Amino acid sequence: MREFSAEYLRRTREGMWVDSREALSALGLDEREQVLDVGCGTGELSRVLDAETPDDCSVIGCDADLDLLTTASEYVPVVAGDALRLPVSDGSFDLVVCQALLINLPEPSAAVAEFSRVSSDLIAAIEPDNGAVTVESTVDAESALADRARRAYLDGVNTNVALGAATRDAFEAADVEVVATARYDHDRSVTPPYDESALRSAKRKASGEGLADDRETLLAGALTPDEYDDLRSAWREMGRTVVDQIGDRTYRRTETVPFHVTVGRVDA
Ligand SMILES: C[S@@+](CC[C@H](N)C(=O)[O-])C[C@H]1O[C@@H](n2cnc3c(N)ncnc32)[C@H](O)[C@@H]1O
């Protein structure tokens, strides 16, 4: 199972669903009674669900990673479990939902089938299309390099991290009728004054640490070791320019990650 740190989830979810919750409208959150957030991680989505559902609705987070669940448990009740064998009985929730879980599973439709076992009404998946991420930056080389690194990662990773709108196929393969789809663009901007996380991210670019962490995945695709070294060296140079621009407070960057919301209804 792919592992995530609490810090990574905090950083990448910052500001998500703050600007608009319109794309969640088909989940009918204001009339839910029992909601299960599968692969909840630190509970970033669970908190949004808890805020949008009635006071007497119970929102429960579920994850296989016990460390992440400890953080989630500060916000909602949690249960440890595998998305493919949920530790709950048939039809016990009227909404089973996940965010950025299916992209990490080799067979997303198997999880959707399990969701439909434990839901009496709706299931929903909010999945990014990491192949369509865009980056705008005051550092000229950053957008093209981010694109190059992303392509190499997508080529080497062993699950479909660009699932996005194709989540519908996983629902159909699990015999779940899709009743609505929507798109939410999560914009993450770095502007002065820079916070701790922006400073850390700039340092990681300048040291090439981020690419080094993903080296194995990057080399599992078509990228050769020489091409990896070239990419990392250009990346570090770009990172040094980011650090310089941060020093004179001129650095600005916006990354947009498209998330696709797929909602299905299970047979009564
Ligand atoms: C990218 S994180 C998303 C976390 C959270 N939903 C969010 O959007 O912030 C994916 C989560 O799925 C969990 N996960 C991966 N495979 C799992 C499985 N088979 N069963 C349960 N949880 C799983 C991971 O531990 C991680 O917390």
Side-chain angles (χ1 to χ4, degrees):
M1 190 178 87
R2 198 166 294 147
E3 293 194 350
F4 299 88
S5 68
E7 158 60 18
Y8 169 84
L9 293 176
R10 190 200 61 73
R11 183 164 42 86
T12 54
R13 302 294 179 257
E14 202 165 22
M16 190 168 178
W17 301 119
V18 172
D19 51 343
S20 167
R21 294 182 178 171
E22 182 58 35
L24 297 177
S25 61
L27 277 63
L29 292 175
D30 53 355
E31 52 194 44
R32 295 293 127 198
E33 294 174 359
Q34 295 273 354
V35 176
L36 184 66
D37 177 10
V38 185
C40 66
T42 50
E44 298 286 337
L45 177 70
S46 314
R47 273 171 264 172
V48 174
L49 299 169
D50 197 39
E52 294 296 319
T53 47
D55 288 348
D56 58 355
C57 170
S58 117
V59 174
I60 295 177
C62 175
D63 205 284
D65 185 318
L66 301 185
D67 287 341
L68 298 179
L69 264 193
T70 303
T71 302
S73 70
E74 293 169 20
Y75 308 101
V76 293
V78 297
V79 59
D82 184 342
L84 302 176
R85 282 178 303 150
L86 292 167
V88 296
S89 49
D90 296 3
S92 47
F93 291 85
D94 61 349
L95 170 64
V96 178
V97 57
C98 67
Q99 177 172 279
L101 167 73
L102 302 185
I103 57 164
N104 295 297
L105 302 179
E107 202 187 334
S109 62
V112 176
E114 177 65 350
F115 290 7
S116 72
R117 177 185 71 77
V118 304
S119 176
S120 59
D121 189 16
L122 297 183
I123 68 174
I126 302 162
E127 297 296 328
D129 178 353
N130 285 307
V133 172
T134 57
V135 172
E136 283 177 27
S137 169
T138 49
V139 173
D140 290 341
E142 185 165 8
S143 174
L145 280 172
D147 200 48
R148 219 167 112 195
R150 191 176 321 106
R151 301 275 145 227
Y153 185 86
L154 288 171
D155 194 36
V157 74
N158 59 6
T159 64
N160 185 0
V161 296
L163 196 60
T167 302
R168 167 187 278 278
D169 300 342
F171 276 51
E172 285 167 359
D175 279 332
V176 175
E177 182 198 0
V178 174
V179 293
T181 58
R183 172 176 161 151
Y184 171 73
D185 284 345
H186 180 209
D187 292 329
R188 289 168 53 216
S189 291
V190 177
T191 53
Y194 308 107
D195 61 15
E196 258 313 303
S197 129
L199 299 178
R200 242 192 332 271
S201 163
K203 280 188 197 145
R204 273 171 68 80
K205 281 174 191 155
S207 68
E209 211 181 314
L211 284 192
D213 287 348
D214 288 334
R215 185 174 189 275
E216 199 182 325
T217 304
L218 292 166
L219 290 177
L223 198 75
T224 65
D226 282 349
E227 286 168 341
Y228 167 82
D229 288 342
D230 284 351
L231 174 62
R232 185 152 180 256
S233 144
W235 188 269
R236 294 182 66 184
E237 193 180 326
M238 173 273 285
R240 288 192 287 273
T241 314
V242 171
V243 170
D244 288 348
Q245 288 197 2
I246 281 191
D248 52 28
R249 298 168 67 83
T250 55
Y251 182 62
R252 282 183 164 68
R253 173 187 195 268
T254 300
E255 178 183 79
T256 302
V257 183
F259 281 80
H260 293 260
V261 181
T262 306
V263 184
R265 192 177 297 283
V266 300
D267 286 337

